[in-house]
Every structure is written in structure tokens, then in C-alpha cells.
Amino acid sequence: MRTREQMEQAEFLTLSPCAMKSAASRGRQFPEPEARYRTAFQRDRERVLHTTAFRRLQGKTQVFVVTEGDYYRTRITHTLEVAQIGRTVARALGANEDLVEGICLAHDLGHPPFGHAGERALDDLMAGHGGFAHNRQSFRIITELEQRYPEFSGLNLTFEFREGIVKHDVDHALEGAPMEFEPHLRGTLEAQIASFADELAYNAHDLDDGLRAGLIDARDLRDVEWWRRASESAGIDLGQPFADMERHRVVRRLVGLMVGDLLAETAARMERMYEAGGNDADDVRHWHVALVALPAASVALNLELKAWLFENLYSHPRVMRMTNKGDRVLRDLFKAYVDEPRMLGDGLRRQLAQLPLQRVVCDYIAGMTDRFALDEHARLFDPHERV
């Protein structure tokens, strides 16, 4: 059996000099004995997998509300695709794969029901009460809201894991991030990989879901350069309607093109940092530019694809009907609970001794799945529904 110490030594021998090594972690907020056969980052990843918040992602919207069908991506399948891309990039660059995967699995824990429409609704409702953002909520979940250990609140994850959530955006730390995470510095190589894995994953799979649903037509994508290149690479005629097999092939090629461009540019930036004397994870934090990046030409292609998706998919009438319904449901629930807190369960009402009512209600709603929110709305507002 390989011991934790042997695994840690293998990291020093095999990972990139600027990768974050488990043995070099700044540790946990609350001291705990180390595991015999798992590194610190492996334990972090597995703690996330066992959370209530992670399981609830299976019932939360990516683009299509879960009631629209069982095939479309949910927040959990999005998360798994992010983790897959993150592992691929980490392995190719010699980054710490366990840390990348863990950050990817945790990055959306704080997402409310009904996707970004739900996030916008809660942020609006919480104006004057601290606002709401799913990244901040993810941090609160891993540090406060998950109650699984008698000795502390949250999951007691390593500094580097928590830093990866704080700095999930490559260029900006969370607003109001604790100073212990040095928000003026960049994230680790692993945090930067997780951020880009998220963006590349949702660009590709949202496009895939929109095509399958018939909301967009592949022929309308002919002028989107990245799609054109992926289609030509797959040997697909852009002027013909796509069957499922052709769609799968082109989406795979699209992911491959994006990841290939990301790897090439990042490897070149890492080499320049090494030549300038940078040789460890802390040098990544202080480096004058992000290490993980797309080349300038691909940045333009990425922006073109995102703009096309916003105009043709996210603003599609059917998607707008779904998101507006979710917006109304969350606003109704929030007002009902705030107006009459006695409708909250005993456990939630006990939290009012430590937190404002609006924050308790916001946490409760943010943790709901789409279906639970719809059912709860029916219980509260449909006179024919049993409470």
C-alpha cells in the first residue's frame, strides 16, 4: 500500500515546479490528523462529494429547467464535465490533478435553483442585506453552512482549496474576500485551470443542449468561427442539417480545439515564467499575468461564441419563459418566508439568533432544487395543494 508520504513525494518528483504540492499546503483552519493513505487535497475533494449541497446539484438548472426533460444538462452534469476538462488540462500541464478536480466539483455548490435567473433574483431580493452571488455562496457552504462535523462548521478544507473558490475567476477574487487569501494576488495554477475549465465546458455543452432541443440550428452557426473550424475538422458540411451523430462529433472537436489552444498558450506562459526565475506555486500567485489563458486570437473566438449563445440560446423565447417562471417562484417564496418566518422549520428559525432573517431565507432558497422550489410554491400558493 502506498502511504500518504509516498504520494506526496511522488508529487514533488512528477508535477510541474509551479504546481501546488499537497505537502506544501498551508493546512486547515482547524488542525486535524493527516490520513494514512490520502493526501490533503484528495480528502478535500472527497469531502465535497459527500455534501448535501453537491447532491442537490442534480436537481438544479443549467440552461433547461429540470422539468423540461431528463436529457439536458443539470448543474451536476455541468460540474462533472468541468471536472473532466480540468483533469485533462491539469494532467497535460503537470498541475495537481486532485486539487483541480476538487475545486471544479465545488465551484457551483452555491448555485440556487433556476440557474442564473435564480441568482439574479436572489441578488435583487438581498439588496441592502449583503446581496447574493453563487461564488460567495459556495465559499459559505464549504466554510459555514455544511454541518457534518461536531468540532467545526463547514468542511475544514485546506487553505489552497478555499483559495481556489475565492479566486475561481482568473482575474478577480471574490468581492470582500478575507484578507488571509491575499485577494490582490492571483490564484494557484490549479485555481486558474478550474476557472477556464468551467467556461470551456458550459460554452460547449450549452450549445449541444440547445441544438438537441431544436432551439438553435447548426446551419445558423456557419459564421461562428470556432464552430466552422470544428465542423470542418470533423468533415461535416455546414450547409446540411445535423443528425445526432454529427452534432456529437462537432461538439467533441470544438472542446478539443478550445482545450488545445488553452494548453498551447498556457505552456508557453509557464515556460516564460521559468525563464524569468519563477519556479513554485507562490511565484504563480505573484506573476504579472495569469498563467492559464487562451491565445489572443482564441479569446476573440470565445467572445464571438458566447455572444452568439446569448443572442440565440439564452435569449430564446422558450428559455426566457423558463427563467421568468423561476424568477417569479423565488420572489414569491422569499416574500412569503420573510413576511411570516413561522412558516420556516424549527432548525431554520434557530438560525435567526445568529443571522438576519433575510440571510436565513436566502440560504434556504439557494439550497433548493428546481423541483422542490416549484413544489413548495404550489404548497404555499395553490389552495388545492396540501401543505
Side-chain angles (χ1 to χ4, degrees), residues 219 222 231-232 234-242 246:
R219 288 169 291 187
R222 282 175 292 186
S231 299
E232 291 177 352
I236 303 296
D237 184 349
L238 286 165
Q240 299 298 317
F242 278 20
E246 283 75 26

Side-chain angles (χ1 to χ4, degrees), residues 21-40:
K21 317 301 191 298
S22 302
S25 171
R26 300 186 196 181
R28 304 181 187 278
Q29 187 175 0
F30 305 97
E32 291 185 61
E34 295 286 354
R36 291 179 57 200
Y37 53 89
R38 289 182 298 166
T39 68

Side-chain angles (χ1 to χ4, degrees), residues 107 119 133-140 142 162-179 181-185:
H107 83 281
E119 182 170 21
H134 79 271
N135 288 339
R136 291 203 305 270
Q137 191 73 0
S138 296
F139 184 75
R140 292 188 68 237
I142 65 172
R162 289 176 286 135
E163 180 192 34
I165 299 299
V166 167
K167 299 178 180 178
H168 176 60
D169 188 307
V170 167
D171 294 316
H172 305 284
L174 292 182
E175 182 181 350
M179 291 306 296
F181 295 106
E182 302 169 308
H184 58 289
L185 299 181

